[in-house]
Amino acid sequence: MKFRFLENVAIADIAFEAYGKTFDEAIENAGTALTEVMADPKKLASTEKKKIAVYGKTEQDLLYNFLEELVYIKDVDGILFKKFNSKISQGKLEVFCKGGKIKGAQGLRNDVKAITMHMFGIKNEKGKIIATVVVDI
Amino acid sequence: MNTKMKIEPVSKNVWQIPQTEKKGMNAPARIYATPNLLGAMDEGVFDQVTNMACLPGIVKYSIACPDAHWGYGFCVGGVAAFDAKDGVISPGGIGFDINCVAAGTKILGAFGYFKKIEEFENAKNENLISVELATNKIKHASPILFLEKPVSEILKITTGCGEELLLTQDHPLFDGTEMRKAAKFKEGDKIAIHPFDGVAYEKASEKCIIGEQDIVRVVGLRKKLLNELRKNGLLPLTENSEKLPILAKLAGFLTGDGWIGHHYNRKRKQDIWSARVIGKYEDLMDVAVDFKKLGYVTNYIKTKKYESSVESASGKKRSISGHSTQLYLNSQSLSVLLHALGVPKGNKSKTPTKVPQWIKESPKWIKRLYLAGLFGAELTKPAQRKGETHRFLEPCFSQNKITSLANENLNFMLDIIKLLHGFGVEVNNIYEQEGIINSHGQKTKKLAIRLSGKDENLIKLWGTIGFEYCKQRKIASMAALGYLKSKKHHIGKIDGFLKQAQSLILTKSTTKREVVNSATELGISKSMVSARLSQKPMATRAGSGFPTFAEFCKSANAGNSEIIIDKIEKIEKIPYNDSVYDLTMNDDDHNFIANCIVSHNCGMRIISTNLGYDEVRPKIKQLVDNLFVKVPAGVGVKGTISLKRNQVLDVMQTGANWCVENGYAWQEDIEHIEEHGKIAGADPENVSEKAIGRSMNQLGTLGSGNHYLEVQVIRAENIYDRKIASGFGVHDDKQVMIMVHCGSRGTGHQIATDYLKEFGPIMEKYKLEVKDRELACAPFNSEEGQKYYSAMACAANNAFANRQVITHNVREVFSQVFRKTPEEMEMNLIYDVAHNIAKVEKHIVDGKSKKLVVHRKGSTRSFGPGHEELASVFKKTGQPVIVGGSMETGSYVCVGTQKAMLETFGSTMHGSGRTMSRTRAKGLVKGEELQKEMEKKGIYVKTATYAGLAEEAGIAYKDISEVVRTMDEIGISKRVFSLKPVGNVKG
């Protein structure tokens, strides 16, 4: 399982857990889960490509800044991504993203306004990386 | 109950979690709910409302309203108030750069008095002198927020005119073109000053100046006239009446350039009184504004050609012609009052003029207003004798009276001299001249006072008394005053030089020759220095190198407005261990005069229509479909207007007012928006480029989640308070209304995200601990707290503007569909309330008025009747409270109460509150089926997404009627009417 929506965590908002064997994989799956909140990825084009680079002291900071950048790009450039390929190196996270323009897209869902700090985190549980995210709707 | 915490009943439907229930609680937590609603509240509410109670500086208790449910940080439906001095501000509890001046800084008021800045804590709404930055013209504005913080270092700025100001580095100052932070100024830079010093404020007494008998003595018992004065708050007239300062100014000016008279009307069998004022058109407009403040309307201002002849006592005739502009006031009561206050009536050359006794006994600042009004009419303006480029002529004040009134005239002059002495202003002499022959053929004598023309005397005259009403004299006197102050400051420096030189000579550290030489290098007169060093008495002179008045005016841009462009002579950092203060002004230019230096400083709405449901029903699909196009909703949509960066900054600073200026609002909409559509203190400098970027394309968009635009109908049986409902614009059964629920969109969330990140690491610095990272906070009075407040105000203003643009588009769609203008359909805004916001408000705590930072997250302000911050239309009733329900069940409009002020910091619920998560609701309900079900019930829905629609199904929400009734029964907000949806645009 790449990610799972948590049913009774955030009443008015949406919460999910994203999983991965590595931190990179968990980050990629968190990106997909975030897009899944906003649209059906299957109905998004793959015409837009972008490299997102964010910085942070901890893995948690990197994840937060990455997801926040996705929300920003959605509002300013009108693009949602469905494929992610990430590379992490000392304090820097680079993610190659592929997706499509929102304008005219089908299968749109909820507009995410912000990534919240509530329950936010990334942990290693017996070799499995779990990222928990609550997004503000 | 979804908690193990101990919950104690306080009264019916009011519950409390004691402070002992969680480690770190600084106050108990209160919950307003019926036992049923309490039982249905999710566990998160109890956890979060107690977390809120752990925040530092919390006052009384944290609050959860009946619609409360889990939120991040604060629970939604949560309220908490923090002491503005010691408390915090938290983005989790919803969404200003504190830049200050030192204690003791004199702030100039509109009535020419000054108060020290620290005295403004309880003096909100006072009119202060402010500058219109685009034109450098003087205007009036009021402080709405007072801030205080301790600092350890401060800047001292000294200007060429000798003005000094102690302020923090980030405090903005005006350079005549723009506001810049003090730290960005350097020595030699331009700085705008308003050289008028004013006089210290003294509290006026409750002494009665004019009672009924005083009026009866003038005109006899005329009930209508007396009632009019009473109605306008002018009878009885006490010294501390807010209208007395205006009357003092007018009494002085009309004594000089006014006329009050009466004629007998046979039909009405009484004297008919009226008044006229003579002056320049622009000055008379100021008089008209003051008449309006007293409650009277000027009849007209007329310019007439005149030709007349004046005969001097020697029999020489002179014809004079030109244009005369006069203001006509036909109000009898105000004319009589002005006469009772001491303005002579009829031909002034035949009537004695006296300084009114009440003026003689009044505080100095009221005396100033009388004198400045009189001088605005009668004192000569600053002038120079030909060839005297560094000095000014002695100002003259004269009066013509018929010969038989010579003694009375002398007494009037002596009284004026006595008043002047009170300001330290000296008079050289009184002289008498033969006057003209008046219009009745009587000889007159002119008596004149010649004031001392010494620099020091003129600084006192123009710096503490000055002129009122006459703009020309005001502007000329400020130029002259600026010049004299810079000359005095220059002489002061020479004196300092001489003193130092003398002591160095005494200790033999230098010689007279060396001193004289270095004086010459500094442009100081050689002969004067030599004379002084030889102990010869000689006054210090500025020296020939000092600029002439004309040169000064050119370099200081003086003579065009009351503002002088001075230069910064010195900037020094000095240690300081005290509080600094700032005032936030209710005005776009955000400035006030400090020590003569010009310095800085998601909700809902409901719109009514006169359309009936029968008229709307056949067109509901067309209406909702068109609204769906014109009010874009859903993921990543762009608004109908896109803004440039500078327009975004304007919106952030001016809120809904931007919409008025750009044609997206009716002027009258503004009065129907909380805070008049603009939260003061917004500073886009503290907003990130990301937040600005997210705002460029989102104005006029609805968003998604629980945001909606609904067409709703009122049924007669759902009106609970007909009188108040009628005041809010409800008149008919089946009347159609429009409700909008949305916020500041991406901008507000970006700002909150930015500051949550910034607050995280700084909490250690301020030794703050919170139970949840979403409660990250900073002391309200810290630099970070103030920055956040100013950024949050930008977000709130953005939200007001967003809902206003939506309103504009709704009006356009209705107009297209019903082929009537919005005005014909009476599409008036009933009200707009914010429900995610932190605001600085005054509340009574332990019997004392305290300034608090009230955080409302998913909670609506519920101010009761009479609250000073409410617009006049809602003063009697209290403010409308808009409570949005689910799209299936309907919504309510309630009204704020006094009890809310006492119990909940003037706050109540904002909606019905969710009981089910989005993910769960989506699992239970299918969007397409729900849409069909709703259509069967008579609700036509157009949605951006079926999944989103399913998440907002009625079953996911609490019973709104129970929620609203809970607060109604407790008395926090009273139900006025409820509405049922018939059309819905869902984000």
Side-chain angles (χ1 to χ4, degrees), chain A residues 5-15 38 60 64-65 68-69 71-72 74-78 80 102 108-121 134 136-137, chain B residues 42 48 69-70 72-73 634-636 638 689-690 693-694 697-698 703-705 707 745-746 749-750 753-754 756-757 772-774 914-920 944-945 947-948 951:
Chain A
F5 287 104
L6 308 174
E7 201 168 278
N8 284 320
V9 169
I11 280 199
D13 299 301
I14 293 176
M38 299 191 271
Q60 188 171 298
Y64 187 90
N65 293 342
E68 198 217 321
E69 194 63 23
V71 172
Y72 174 71
K74 174 262 302 174
D75 274 347
V76 174
D77 301 329
L80 285 176
I102 295 168
L108 294 174
R109 295 171 178 156
N110 274 303
D111 195 13
V112 171
K113 294 187 287 200
I115 309 298
T116 78
M117 290 301 284
H118 182 74
M119 295 170 67
F120 187 83
V134 178
D136 187 0
I137 299 296
Chain B
D42 58 277
Q48 292 185 323
H69 61 78
W70 179 91
Y72 44 87
V635 186
K638 293 185 175 174
E689 283 304 317
K690 266 189 165 177
R694 283 178 79 175
N697 295 317
Q698 288 197 331
S704 78
H707 292 165
R745 308 284 292 107
H749 293 271
Q750 188 67 50
T753 300
D754 293 341
L756 270 176
K757 279 203 253 176
D772 180 342
R773 276 175 299 174
E774 279 287 338
R914 286 190 82 96
T915 53
M916 194 185 280
S917 75
R918 292 182 177 277
T919 314
R920 179 137 185 253
T945 143
E951 290 170 14

Side-chain angles (χ1 to χ4, degrees), chain B residues 833-872:
Chain B
V833 284
H835 59 219
N836 283 337
I837 201 158
K839 282 165 82 173
V840 180
E841 295 170 0
K842 268 191 181 165
H843 290 274
I844 306 290
V845 180
D846 299 330
K848 281 184 194 157
S849 173
K850 267 198 141 179
K851 200 163 67 186
L852 305 176
V853 188
V854 182
H855 290 54
R856 296 191 182 92
K857 173 160 179 176
S859 166
T860 311
R861 199 179 73 169
S862 180
F863 281 1
H867 196 285
E868 58 175 16
E869 286 184 21
L870 292 184
S872 55

Side-chain angles (χ1 to χ4, degrees), chain B residues 536-801:
Chain B
K536 284 184 191 155
M538 192 169 181
T540 315
R541 295 194 313 267
S544 54
F546 190 75
T548 64
F549 178 50
E551 287 163 349
F552 172 83
C553 285
K554 208 172 164 192
S555 70
N557 194 27
N560 299 317
S561 85
E562 291 173 53
I563 296 300
I564 307 285
I565 307 302
D566 197 0
K567 275 195 178 138
I568 292 185
E569 194 177 273
K570 206 169 172 188
I571 304 182
E572 45 198 325
K573 276 187 189 168
I574 55 170
Y576 182 86
N577 267 319
D578 201 348
S579 284
V580 288
Y581 305 85
D582 189 34
L583 303 172
T584 298
M585 309 295 288
N586 67 343
D587 175 272
D588 291 347
D589 285 323
H590 299 293
N591 66 67
F592 49 86
I593 310 288
N595 282 1
C596 301
I597 295 175
V598 183
S599 82
H600 187 78
N601 113 42
C602 131
M604 305 205 58
R605 64 166 51 190
I606 182 166
I607 305 145
S608 67
T609 73
N610 59 13
L611 301 173
Y613 181 45
D614 295 338
E615 197 178 340
V616 172
R617 188 165 47 189
K619 292 186 172 172
I620 191 73
K621 284 192 180 177
Q622 185 193 353
L623 186 63
V624 171
D625 290 348
N626 287 3
L627 285 170
F628 187 79
V629 174
K630 203 78 197 211
V631 184
V635 186
V637 290
K638 293 185 175 174
T640 47
I641 37 175
S642 79
L643 302 179
K644 293 201 173 80
R645 190 178 181 279
N646 61 341
Q647 289 175 305
V648 171
L649 304 188
D650 273 356
V651 169
M652 286 180 169
Q653 289 175 91
T654 61
N657 294 282
W658 181 88
C659 302
V660 176
E661 283 163 25
N662 290 278
Y664 298 105
W666 298 349
Q667 182 62 48
E668 53 268 39
D669 289 343
I670 299 298
E671 223 193 7
H672 293 255
I673 307 177
E674 184 172 331
E675 298 285 327
H676 292 83
K678 184 182 102 173
I679 307 273
D683 186 353
E685 262 201 36
N686 297 321
V687 175
S688 70
E689 283 304 317
K690 266 189 165 177
I692 293 170
R694 283 178 79 175
S695 187
M696 288 177 172
N697 295 317
Q698 288 197 331
L699 205 61
T701 60
L702 204 53
S704 78
N706 60 353
H707 292 165
Y708 62 77
L709 189 164
E710 245 173 29
V711 182
Q712 304 173 332
V713 176
I714 299 169
R715 306 272 177 195
E717 64 269 26
N718 295 332
I719 302 176
Y720 308 99
D721 188 322
R722 291 204 165 272
K723 204 172 158 193
I724 296 181
S726 163
F728 288 176
V730 174
H731 304 294
D732 296 309
D733 180 29
K734 298 192 199 168
Q735 191 177 339
V736 169
M737 303 242 169
I738 303 109
M739 192 175 273
V740 181
H741 175 213
C742 71
S744 60
R745 308 284 292 107
T747 315
H749 293 271
Q750 188 67 50
I751 289 170
T753 300
D754 293 341
Y755 280 92
L756 270 176
K757 279 203 253 176
E758 190 178 329
F759 283 3
I762 64 153
M763 293 208 320
E764 204 176 315
K765 167 176 149 191
Y766 292 111
K767 299 189 175 65
L768 294 169
E769 272 179 46
V770 291
K771 301 272 176 193
D772 180 342
R773 276 175 299 174
E774 279 287 338
L775 288 176
C777 54
F780 179 65
N781 261 344
S782 66
E783 193 184 337
E784 297 88 348
Q786 291 296 312
K787 270 186 172 176
Y788 172 59
Y789 186 85
S790 74
M792 181 219 69
C794 290
N797 290 340
N798 207 298
F800 286 134

Side-chain angles (χ1 to χ4, degrees), chain B residues 61-87:
Chain B
Y61 33 68
S62 58
I63 297 167
C65 294
D67 55 337
H69 61 78
W70 179 91
Y72 44 87
F74 272 47
C75 56
V76 174
V79 181
F82 302 90
D83 193 299
K85 268 188 185 163
D86 319 315

